[in-house]
Amino acid sequence: QPITNRVTVYGTARVSGPITFMHVSDVKNMYILITLTGHPIHSIDEVFFNDERVDIDANGDVFGRFYGAAVIKKGLGTTAGDADLHDYLQSELPDLWTVNHRQEGCAKILVRLSPDRTVYATGLPNVSVVLRGKKVYDPRTATTEYSSNAALCIRDYLTDSKLLGATAAEVDDTAITAAANVCDEQVA
């Protein structure tokens, strides 16, 4: 699909997204970049190939069944959170990936698959992730951080200029605070 909407994710969710870059190198490695959200996120906690969880180290190297057959780089949609992914692509594909291709402000995942027919016998895997989504403002603490609190997520949805775009004056923070406190209550 040539044009897709950018997705907003609150809380924790398992998602995938459109493939926004795909290339097969001379040595038959396939590079697939999937754009997950249209905003920065807190973290990418798990990666799945089809329904199989893939174990990854801090460098993006894969363990287990996919060892040696895949490299995974995560991009959180922030300058610091995307540096490893962009540096990797620029070193691997310098003629194709430049500073003009950064997709700034979007969370993404890069998967490099090696041509191993025994590992990928049924074809390319469907790549999905479990992520902790958008950071939201909490009027109780005056901080912006990850939260799955429904009231805070609704407040963010109302005030985000790319979504509904309400001004802070149009949102009743007293009601949001009361609702956020109820959402934080633990139920036995």
Side-chain angles (χ1 to χ4, degrees):
Q1 185 170 339
I3 300 174
T4 60
N5 292 325
R6 291 191 172 172
V7 176
T8 300
V9 177
Y10 292 104
T12 301
R14 183 170 171 184
V15 300
S16 190
I19 295 172
T20 53
F21 176 78
M22 183 182 278
H23 177 73
V24 178
S25 70
D26 294 340
V27 295
K28 305 297 184 217
N29 286 328
M30 178 170 280
Y31 298 82
I32 304 169
L33 184 76
I34 299 170
T35 303
L36 302 168
T37 68
H39 56 80
I41 61 171
H42 178 72
S43 65
I44 297 173
D45 297 327
E46 296 177 283
V47 178
F48 290 86
F49 285 179
N50 299 321
D51 285 323
E52 187 174 344
R53 185 175 183 271
V54 180
D55 293 318
I56 310 161
D57 70 8
N59 295 321
D61 295 322
V62 176
F63 298 103
R65 187 166 85 82
F66 299 102
Y67 177 77
V71 173
I72 297 172
K73 299 291 183 179
K74 302 172 185 179
L76 303 180
T78 61
T79 302
D82 291 353
D84 186 44
L85 183 149
H86 294 302
D87 292 347
Y88 181 79
L89 267 174
Q90 285 179 316
S91 70
E92 294 274 314
L93 305 169
D95 295 336
L96 296 174
W97 192 265
T98 70
V99 294
N100 297 323
H101 299 100
R102 292 195 176 270
Q103 297 183 9
E104 291 178 355
C106 295
K108 57 198 123 336
I109 187 163
L110 171 71
V111 178
R112 188 197 78 191
L113 303 174
S114 300
D116 189 332
R117 292 181 188 213
T118 59
V119 175
Y120 306 113
T122 59
L124 294 178
N126 180 20
V127 180
S128 63
V129 304
V130 173
L131 60 80
R132 284 185 273 170
K134 191 172 185 199
K135 296 177 182 181
V136 296
Y137 177 75
D138 188 339
R140 300 171 299 178
T141 60
T143 59
T144 301
E145 57 192 16
Y146 167 78
S147 175
S148 60
N149 184 301
L152 301 179
C153 294
I154 289 169
R155 183 192 186 285
D156 183 83
Y157 186 83
L158 292 170
T159 58
D160 188 314
S161 62
K162 295 178 184 174
L163 300 171
L164 293 184
T167 65
E170 294 175 305
V171 176
D172 183 354
D173 276 341
T174 303
I176 293 291
T177 296
N181 289 336
V182 169
C183 289
D184 282 344
E185 289 179 8
Q186 297 296 317
V187 178

